[in-house]
Amino acid sequence: MTTTTGTPAATGAVGTGRSRVEGRDKVTGAARYAGDIPFTRLAHGWLVLSTIARGRITAVADEPVLAMPGVLAVLHHGNVPRVNADYVGMLGRPNPVVGLFQHDRVPCAGWPVALVVAETPEQAREAAEALVVEYRAEPHDVEFRAGHEGAYRPEDSSMVRADADKGDLPAALDGAACVMDEEYTTPEEHHCTMEPHAATAHWDDGRLHVTDSDQGSSWVAAELATLFSLDPASVRVRSEHIGGAFGSKGVNAHQVAAVMATTTLHRPVRVVMTRRQMFSLVGYRSPTAQRVRLAADADGRLRVFEHEALNLTSQVHEFVETSAALGRVLYDADAHSTRHRVVRLDVPTPTWMRAPGEAPGSFAIESALDELAERLGMDPIALRARNEPATGPISGLPFSSRNLLACFEEGARRFGWADRDPRPGVRREGRWLIGTGTAAAAYHSGVGRSTAAVTAEADGTFTVRVNASDIGTGARTALTLVAADALGAAPEHIRVRIGDSDLGHAMIAGGSTGTRSWSWAVRLAAADVRERLALGGAIPPEGITARSDTADAIAALPPQERHSFGAQFAEAAVDTGTGEVRVRRLLGIFAAGTIVNPLTARSQLTGGMTWGLSMALHEEAVRDTASGTHVNADLAGYHVAAHADVPHVEADWVDDPVPGDPVGIKGVGEIGIVGVAAAIANAVWHATGVRHRHLPISPDRVLRAAEGSTGA
């Protein structure tokens, strides 16, 4: 059950709870997803993935497969056109996996080595499974571990600052009343979107059209144009309905394969990934090994905050899981040191996954803060309040707003924190030991350049065109409410068109920046239309249209630390006889600027919190070191939380005005998961008196801990 709380009535459309404008289409099946849309003469492609973890392709036996019923083509490194994968795109250099079939090198198990195209998906699959690919295997290493001898400092970039240091660490350590130094680990985790990755490509009058499921059709169109050396205006990507993304739905092998095949066969080609293929091809959250050292005075003031995070990446692309970046925002100290290290292994490249960096980083940091509070004999909330910074701990910049303590105060009141006996292992209900825990949450609130067009139609309605991506967040509905307020019109008079690269450039749906970025562009265009309508006169048949571009407005923003904040609370019951952990309650209170639509915002927050529970207790992708492949690459073996896993989830927010901000929206897509795993781990400690520093907190770990370990 999800419990919601009351929200004061808003004076305008923004702030009122609205059902999704496309909700009826989705529940009736009228909404068409990328793999559903019919095309005349549609062919189907099936990817063939490598079965070795490192080596070279020596032969592709395609002739027997080409003779099979319905087979139209077998594409591989020996017969495909060249593509240009050496470029810097919207989010940096692409993962080289999009340079599909360009060489005979195999850098990991699950690397795409061929595409079989046939008249039906069944024929394509049968032929793909029959295709014989021969390899020359080489020794490989897929084993991630703390202290790996291959670890190195990654390159700094616009998205990653590897190291950040201030103060004299040895001097700050000297004389500290308490020092806490522990290691925490998180496993490999996967996005597991309900809708698989799917794309259909075809040419029409010299123009490439791609129907896709992605997080930004502007992004995908630009990258495909670069890859295939096309005029950007000749590529159109549409992505109207998306069944989840979480960071995985950018430019991937399936879109490139579909474009290659349609260019070869001169007919539409669809490529849909299987669930097992998604475990290899679309990225994942890297496992992490994180060392946290904290030193404090007797009153809890931090002298030292030190956090080093290690993650893996592939041999062909550098990806950094920025787990140590969270501490640069949350807590200050006399000496502050945060570092990222990476190790290259023979594995697929990781990627962004809901709250990248913050999700695993918060587990380590917020578990360590709880341990420090225990050793100091302090209340965990009081310790966090003691170390609340006035400005950015590393940047020194002012916060646009920071209402973290208000979240803790409201959350503690609702959760009944004041009645908590701080002693661990004392509350029992039959065979269950009961504990409660808390943790802080923070996530960056960014903004990206976007364009929009708003048309006042002759019939009195308005059409909004902005290339947003609704990946399940309710973006269409939020933009409808934003436009209604900006135009002074009823939401029922607003039509919003999204998900089409022809609508112009827009920020991707990622990094909790989408709604803020698109809303800004819509407001600017709407303000222009409203001014022109105020001049009077009849609206012509083609309407009155205004366009906007937020580039200059974004450049004028003052330097600030812009973040959403939150406080997570959990109650857990632990059976040390069976190792079972049950989370009975989750409460999250957030400070996230203007909440556009309370209904969908709560959905996002409680969804993120449920995923945090999944991270704490269930999720763990296991890789066989001998073969380099997963042993649980499906939803039967890779366990995720379901409704029954948490009976009571409550999410709400405190007022969080952002003075001087032209939008006031911060985003809620990712902060819901941040801190939840730590709050649950802290609750398990409170229940049992045993610390769990390695996720997931599985029954076997609980049982081993109950047998006498002081930390699991």
Side-chain angles (χ1 to χ4, degrees), residues 450-525:
S450 296
T451 62
V454 175
T455 300
E457 307 288 0
D459 63 0
T461 64
F462 298 88
T463 302
V464 176
R465 298 172 179 83
V466 57
N467 193 20
S469 294
D470 193 334
I471 57 177
T473 55
R476 279 184 184 82
T477 311
L479 292 171
T480 299
L481 302 182
V482 168
D485 275 6
L487 292 163
E492 292 75 19
H493 293 166
I494 310 293
R495 292 187 298 270
V496 176
R497 287 189 55 201
I498 65 172
D500 184 341
S501 62
D502 276 3
L503 297 177
H505 176 83
M507 183 59 185
I508 65 168
S512 294
T513 62
T515 301
R516 173 174 168 80
S517 303
W518 308 320
S519 294
W520 198 343
V522 168
R523 285 183 180 181
L524 290 176

Side-chain angles (χ1 to χ4, degrees), residues 115 130 134 176 266 292 319 440 519 545 676:
L115 178 79
E134 297 178 4
H266 308 292
V292 180
F319 181 84
S519 294
T545 298
V676 176

